[in-house]
Amino acid sequence: TRESPAILVGKDPSKDLAVLKIDAPKNDLSPILVGSASDLLVGQKVFAIGNPFGFDQSLTTGVISGLGRQIPSKTGREIDGVIQTDAAINPGNSGGPLLDSAGRLIGVNTAIRSPSGASAGVGFAIPVEVVNRSVPQIIQHGKVLRPGLGIDRVSDSIAQQINLRGVIVRDVTEGSVAEQAGIEPMKINRAGDLFGDVIVEIDGKSVANSDDYLDILESHKLGDKVKVKVLRLAGEQRPKAIELDVVL
C-alpha cells in the first residue's frame, strides 16, 4: 500500500462523483481498463473494491442484480442508469470501482440500500458512461458544465399544488438565451391570475417536471439548437402554446 498527497480537482454532486489529483510519479501508476455498462446483463459476475470500515483493498464479488435503477444524489436529483449488485458494498466502498469479470471498470460504487446501514446485498454503482461524461469536464473546468436556458424554476411541489404540469419559469436571467428567445417569467396579479410561461416540451420530448427538464438538457451539448414549447398563461384568457428556437 502506498500513500500520496491529493487535492480535490472538482466534483459533480448531482452524479455523486469527484476527481482527486495525486502527487505520484507516473511510472508508479497503472491505469485501470475501462469497460462499458451499456451491454451488461443481469446475472453477470462483478467485483467491488474499496475500503469498507477502513479495511483497505477489500474485494467482494457478486452478480448484477438489476440495471437501469434510479437513486437520489446529494442534490436530490435522480441518478439514472444505476447498476444494482449483490456484491457486498459497505460504508467505505464508495468511490471504489465495480469491475466486470475481465477486470474492466463498469461503474463506481456509490450507495447501499439497508435498514441497518450495513450491506444487505443491495448495492449501487454509477455506470461508467456517466463517469466518462463527467470526469473530463471536472478535470478541465473543476465542475461539469451542463447546457441550460438561463432560467430559475418554480419547485415541482408548487406546480403540483396549482395543478400545472411542466416547469414553471420563475425568473429569466438577464442576457440569457431564454431572454433572447422570448421566454417570459411567471407573474401573478392581485386577483391571483397567472401570466407567463410553463415549459412543457423540449425537442419533442415531454417535460412534466424538473427531472424531465434536466434529463433532456443533459442529453444535449453546449451550443445545440433546440425547440422549446411553452404554455403561455394570460390570466383568464386561454393559455397559448408557443414554440421557440433556443441555442443552449
Side-chain angles (χ1 to χ4, degrees):
T1 301
R2 295 194 305 271
E3 293 186 6
S4 299
I7 60 171
L8 176 67
V9 176
K11 53 189 176 180
D12 182 5
S14 68
K15 301 299 181 187
D16 200 23
L17 293 170
V19 174
L20 299 177
K21 182 179 180 180
I22 66 171
D23 185 11
K26 183 177 180 179
N27 292 337
D28 287 352
L29 303 175
S30 299
I32 193 169
L33 295 173
V34 178
S36 170
S38 62
D39 55 357
L40 298 176
L41 299 172
V42 172
Q44 185 173 330
K45 195 168 187 178
V46 291
F47 302 88
I49 297 176
N51 300 333
F53 303 110
F55 295 100
D56 61 345
Q57 301 184 67
S58 293
L59 172 71
T60 55
T61 185
V63 298
I64 293 174
S65 306
L67 295 166
R69 303 301 195 202
Q70 284 188 325
I71 61 171
S73 68
K74 297 292 184 182
T75 64
R77 277 214 60 203
E78 295 289 329
I79 306 174
D80 295 321
V82 173
I83 303 165
Q84 180 187 338
T85 178
D86 68 352
I89 294 176
N90 286 289
N93 272 110
S94 295
L98 186 71
L99 310 172
D100 64 15
S101 57
R104 296 170 298 201
L105 177 72
I106 56 171
V108 174
N109 304 321
T110 187
I112 59 172
R113 181 68 57 85
S114 168
S116 66
S119 177
V122 185
F124 301 100
I126 307 298
V128 69
E129 279 77 9
V130 172
V131 179
N132 288 339
R133 287 197 299 269
S134 291
V135 166
Q137 290 205 46
I138 295 173
I139 292 172
Q140 184 174 358
H141 306 291
K143 60 182 179 180
V144 175
L145 302 179
R146 292 191 166 90
L149 301 179
I151 65 165
D152 285 333
R153 309 182 307 275
V154 173
S155 71
D156 290 337
S157 59
I158 292 177
Q160 291 170 1
Q161 289 173 21
I162 59 178
N163 201 30
L164 278 177
R165 180 182 174 87
V167 167
I168 301 173
V169 180
R170 183 175 66 184
D171 195 18
V172 176
T173 303
E174 186 176 350
S176 67
V177 295
E179 183 185 61
Q180 294 167 18
I183 294 176
E184 298 181 0
M186 191 66 66
K187 297 177 181 177
I188 186 169
N189 65 14
R190 292 183 178 180
D193 298 320
L194 296 174
F195 296 82
D197 290 344
V198 182
I199 298 173
V200 294
E201 195 174 285
I202 299 177
D203 255 8
K205 297 177 182 176
S206 177
V207 175
N209 50 43
S210 292
D211 276 341
D212 288 347
Y213 169 80
L214 293 170
D215 286 343
I216 294 170
L217 289 183
E218 227 172 73
S219 69
H220 288 275
K221 301 187 296 292
L222 296 173
D224 280 357
K225 186 176 181 180
V226 298
K227 289 191 178 295
V228 178
K229 181 182 286 187
V230 300
L231 193 64
R232 182 158 293 169
L233 307 185
E236 294 182 353
Q237 298 180 31
R238 185 176 181 142
K240 185 178 180 181
I242 301 174
E243 198 169 73
L244 304 167
D245 291 322
V246 180
V247 177
L248 298 175

